[in-house]
Amino acid sequence: MRYLKLAILMMPFLMGNRLSAQQNSRDQKMQWFADAKLGIFIHWGIYSVNGISESWAFYNNYINHDAYMKQLEGFDASKYNPQEWADLIKESGAKYAVITTKHHDGVSLWDTKAPNATTTLGNSAAKKDLITPFVSSLKRTGLKTGLYFSLPDWSYQDYNIFTRERSRYDIKKEPNRWNKFLNYYQAQLREISNLYHPDLLWFDGDWEHSPAEWQTDKVRNLLTADNPNVIINSRLDSHGDYATPEQGVPVVKPQARFWELCYTMNDSWGYQPYDNHYKTSNMIIRTLVDCISMGGNLLLDIGPKADGTIAPEQVKILKDLGRWTNKHAEAIYETQAGIPAGHFAGKSTLSKNKQVLYLYLDYKGKNGVLLSGLKSKITNVELVGNNAPVNVTKLNETDYTFSLKEDGFDSDVTVLKVSLNEPIELSAAKQKPVSINNLLADAGKSVNLTRLSIDLNIGINIFQGTNLAADGLNFKSGVKNFSAEVNDWIIKNAEALYKTTAGIPEGHYQGRTALSVDKQTLYLFVEGEPTGPIAIKGLKNNISRIRVVGEGTMLPHEIYNKLYWSKIPGIVYIPIPKDKLDKNLTVIAVLLDGPISLYREEVGAIESNL
């Protein structure tokens, strides 16, 4: 009995040690993934022949199955050069690639021996195994290997689902057919595991059946038996190693410790010749920064043509991405999520030991960059990838401004490296609001206006109770020896200061904001000269009009990644002409179709695209 009591007392301790050991083991195998930051997704299959939606085209009855599969005759891969692909991927700065071995249409791109399989070797004009040479090229180039595998196989005669309107059978009534399919797809997984020893398996389509029906525990065991360190995404079941938000750039940091945004360059995964809605290289680079600032990865998609060539628009983006990642490598790889919002108007990351803070500027801040609430001591500030000097001004014990000349700025995103004497410590104390006297003082014009925008963003409006009207006319501050320049700025931007309330929560816009009393006009404070269009994430409203405050110029906008089958709002991009920028602080008014409504839910997989 004494030994039994001892065993019971020891059980929590032993279980805790076991869980700790499992966690350490998982952390070790995930380390390369956490450090990689950038991967390239490749959707390649027979759907590139007609340039139509991969698999979904026949599932949704846009084209019948026979006509869809006829694309096998045109899928020749005649110019396929896997080493060129691998070299281009490496040039982009990616550390891994994930290629579709089989999409939902069931066409296998390798020489599978599973019975009744449709393959590019046996059934397409290519007459080739396309996966083996690519995996060899990846390994030769030093890149990690990721393989995409669809759990559903809508073309396989023993899979129960065929199209949105057609089902082959009920698995409860015909379990033998379902078992045939399970044996089939699991045999294919054994093949790619044994043949390629992938570093990562990227599953898709698990929503069509339960984990028990897929036999996910069995699948995980057979994969880890061959390779204990294989990484499996969250789409096999809920026990995956990392989360895969799709298309929608997260507004707030995902809860998962490890995650990766899978993201298209235009609006399509596979090659579609008439989809010219490409994001610019600048947008893609800033999306990468968005992801790494929240501790995640970007898995950027390309869709090669049927002959194996990659569209020039996609090649350009990869090469432009490579220019930026090569220049700023130390601020990308092996970093972790940055500091909370409120300390800096932009994105940030930290080194592993938290003694280096990287600040990302997607604007040219001629008036200086403000970093506030830093308790740690700065030992050095420099530009990453550029020897141009950085001027550091200490405003008080916790606040600094950093200034650099024109030749210090990058054309897309500039990175400041702030070295500290210890792991970063931030001040939780709120700064005293800027007063009208300080605001209108001759000294520190730009810093004071920045502080004003910070105050407005959190709902502190020093103009309440003054005679400031919406049009700014007849404004009298009562301040003697005031700065005429700042006074003129107040009058010009009065509508954004008059009775405005706190702005929108962090994550939707990287700068500071304010809202009109009726919540229908969103004011965006724009520092410096943006390197590309400014962006708003997670805006559910329709936009009625956008204009430059104080001088009436109407601005266009364009929405990217608003997919009609997804409830996730796209990203609103607003280009601002250089000649309309205020030299101190520009204000943009976004008039909405109603009180502002924001999407802040966690982004997951898209399970249908009717």
Side-chain angles (χ1 to χ4, degrees):
M1 180 64 73
R2 184 175 58 187
Y3 295 111
L4 177 59
K5 288 181 178 178
L6 181 61
I8 291 171
L9 289 171
M10 289 291 291
M11 192 173 295
F13 174 77
L14 296 172
M15 289 181 67
N17 282 348
R18 183 179 178 185
L19 290 172
S20 177
Q22 290 175 344
Q23 183 64 50
N24 289 338
S25 176
R26 180 169 178 255
D27 289 353
Q28 287 174 8
K29 82 168 185 176
M30 292 300 296
Q31 195 59 59
W32 74 260
F33 178 85
D35 291 343
K37 302 305 176 188
L38 177 62
I40 299 300
F41 214 174
I42 304 167
H43 275 72
W44 195 32
I46 65 171
Y47 38 86
S48 60
V49 174
N50 292 350
I52 58 179
S53 295
E54 58 290 336
S55 308
W56 297 98
F58 77 80
Y59 179 85
N60 288 324
N61 300 309
Y62 298 165
I63 182 175
N64 69 42
H65 185 259
D66 288 350
Y68 179 94
M69 296 303 285
K70 198 171 180 61
Q71 292 178 104
L72 284 162
E73 299 172 8
F75 189 70
D76 61 16
S78 57
K79 298 179 181 178
Y80 175 43
N81 187 326
Q83 190 58 52
E84 283 186 2
W85 283 17
D87 291 342
L88 180 61
I89 290 167
K90 186 166 187 177
E91 183 182 348
S92 76
K95 300 298 184 183
Y96 63 107
V98 180
I99 188 170
T100 49
T101 63
K102 183 185 75 168
H103 207 269
H104 312 324
D105 60 14
V107 178
S108 301
L109 274 65
W110 81 100
D111 183 21
T112 177
K113 301 299 192 293
N116 302 317
T118 302
T119 71
T120 52
L121 178 66
N123 303 94
S124 79
K127 301 298 179 189
K128 295 176 184 175
D129 169 355
L130 302 172
I131 299 299
T132 300
F134 180 63
V135 171
S136 297
S137 296
L138 285 180
K139 293 181 184 295
R140 192 161 47 243
T141 312
L143 297 167
K144 295 287 187 179
T145 300
L147 300 179
Y148 169 109
F149 185 89
S150 169
L151 292 166
D153 189 326
W154 294 331
S155 297
Y156 197 70
Q157 287 303 308
D158 287 312
Y159 186 66
N160 67 316
I161 296 171
F162 183 30
T163 69
R164 185 176 293 276
E165 304 296 332
R166 291 175 180 264
S167 180
R168 293 187 177 93
Y169 64 93
D170 184 334
I171 65 174
K172 292 180 180 178
K173 294 179 180 178
E174 299 185 60
N176 289 339
R177 288 189 72 179
W178 181 245
N179 286 331
K180 279 186 179 180
F181 172 72
L182 291 177
N183 291 334
Y184 170 77
Y185 102 79
Q186 290 169 16
Q188 287 197 314
L189 284 174
R190 285 191 189 92
E191 284 181 349
I192 62 177
S193 181
N194 292 331
L195 284 170
Y196 307 122
H197 304 287
D199 301 289
L200 182 154
L201 272 165
W202 213 102
F203 286 100
D204 200 11
D206 64 334
W207 59 82
E208 287 202 332
H209 290 284
S210 69
E213 288 169 341
W214 289 123
Q215 297 182 344
T216 57
D217 287 342
K218 179 181 177 182
V219 168
R220 182 175 287 99
N221 288 336
L222 74 86
L223 295 173
T224 54
D226 181 58
N227 180 7
N229 291 320
V230 68
I231 293 173
I232 298 172
N233 75 339
S234 59
R235 300 192 190 186
L236 177 63
D237 56 26
S238 58
H239 305 298
D241 293 310
Y242 69 97
T244 56
E246 181 171 342
Q247 292 290 44
V249 181
V251 172
V252 293
K253 186 179 183 298
Q255 293 181 5
R257 183 174 179 189
F258 304 103
W259 62 274
E260 160 199 84
L261 170 68
C262 50
Y263 201 63
T264 54
M265 293 181 175
N266 50 9
D267 291 332
S268 307
W269 294 108
Y271 175 68
Q272 294 196 25
Y274 304 112
D275 180 0
N276 296 311
H277 199 218
Y278 279 96
K279 305 167 189 73
T280 65
S281 300
N282 175 272
M283 293 175 186
I284 296 293
I285 290 168
R286 286 160 58 196
T287 298
L288 172 61
V289 170
D290 229 350
C291 290
I292 66 176
S293 72
M294 291 184 278
N297 292 7
L298 173 64
L299 184 64
L300 182 66
D301 182 69
I302 59 174
K305 299 178 183 180
D307 64 2
T309 58
I310 300 171
E313 298 92 338
Q314 299 181 15
V315 172
K316 181 182 186 305
I317 289 172
L318 291 179
K319 287 183 175 289
D320 289 347
L321 192 55
R323 177 204 71 81
W324 189 83
T325 55
N326 181 63
K327 178 181 178 181
H328 301 98
E330 76 161 278
I332 302 169
Y333 313 109
E334 300 185 21
T335 58
Q336 58 182 304
I339 58 178
H343 297 278
F344 164 66
K347 308 298 179 183
S348 65
T349 62
L350 288 163
S351 61
K352 283 186 177 179
N353 65 4
K354 296 189 177 183
Q355 286 190 224
V356 178
L357 171 65
Y358 296 102
L359 304 176
Y360 303 85
L361 312 175
D362 59 6
Y363 59 91
K364 297 177 180 179
K366 297 178 182 178
N367 295 323
V369 176
L370 175 65
L371 175 65
S372 60
L374 180 66
K375 291 173 67 177
S376 307
K377 303 302 180 186
I378 293 176
T379 60
N380 189 42
V381 180
E382 59 188 307
L383 284 167
V384 177
N386 190 323
N387 292 324
V390 179
N391 183 51
V392 181
T393 302
K394 188 171 184 178
L395 303 175
N396 53 48
E397 284 302 307
T398 62
D399 297 1
Y400 301 82
T401 58
F402 310 124
S403 303
L404 47 153
K405 295 182 179 178
E406 181 72 23
D407 61 353
F409 290 100
D410 185 81
S411 57
D412 291 303
V413 178
T414 305
V415 185
L416 281 168
K417 178 182 179 181
V418 182
S419 299
L420 308 171
N421 68 330
E422 62 180 351
I424 191 166
E425 283 194 49
L426 298 168
S427 171
K430 293 181 179 179
Q431 298 299 315
K432 185 178 179 181
V434 65
S435 67
I436 291 180
N437 281 341
N438 288 339
L439 182 66
L440 283 161
D442 282 325
K445 299 184 185 70
S446 60
V447 172
N448 287 334
L449 285 173
T450 298
R451 290 196 183 282
L452 173 66
S453 70
I454 294 171
D455 292 342
L456 291 167
N457 186 75
I458 61 175
I460 299 173
N461 191 335
I462 61 173
F463 294 98
Q464 299 283 8
T466 70
N467 75 328
L468 181 68
D471 59 8
L473 291 177
N474 302 316
F475 171 64
K476 301 294 182 182
S477 67
V479 177
K480 295 181 180 180
N481 301 320
F482 61 83
S483 164
E485 184 179 345
V486 175
N487 195 72
D488 290 345
W489 184 92
I490 292 170
I491 293 169
K492 174 187 173 184
N493 295 285
E495 74 157 290
L497 312 175
Y498 169 77
K499 294 185 178 179
T500 49
T501 61
I504 56 179
E506 65 175 284
H508 295 281
Y509 173 69
Q510 78 162 29
R512 285 94 187 195
T513 62
L515 282 167
S516 59
V517 173
D518 63 4
K519 311 297 184 189
Q520 198 165 335
T521 301
L522 172 65
Y523 296 102
L524 308 174
F525 296 99
V526 181
E527 296 194 37
E529 179 187 317
T531 60
I534 61 173
I536 308 172
K537 294 189 296 182
L539 181 65
K540 291 182 180 180
N541 302 76
N542 292 317
I543 292 175
S544 300
R545 59 175 45 178
I546 304 173
R547 57 190 167 74
V548 181
V549 171
E551 52 98 87
T553 300
M554 297 297 172
L555 299 178
H557 71 280
E558 192 162 5
I559 299 175
Y560 287 82
N561 276 91
K562 178 62 190 94
L563 306 176
Y564 65 90
W565 62 81
S566 171
K567 65 180 180 180
I568 303 167
I571 302 178
V572 178
Y573 285 100
I574 306 167
I576 305 177
K578 289 183 181 180
D579 63 343
K580 297 302 177 182
L581 292 168
D582 188 287
K583 68 177 183 178
N584 291 305
L585 186 66
T586 308
V587 186
I588 304 298
V590 183
L591 177 64
L592 308 172
D593 61 351
I596 193 165
S597 179
L598 299 169
Y599 183 93
R600 290 181 67 80
E601 299 172 39
E602 185 144 348
V603 177
I606 296 174
E607 300 182 359
S608 174
N609 67 352
L610 177 63

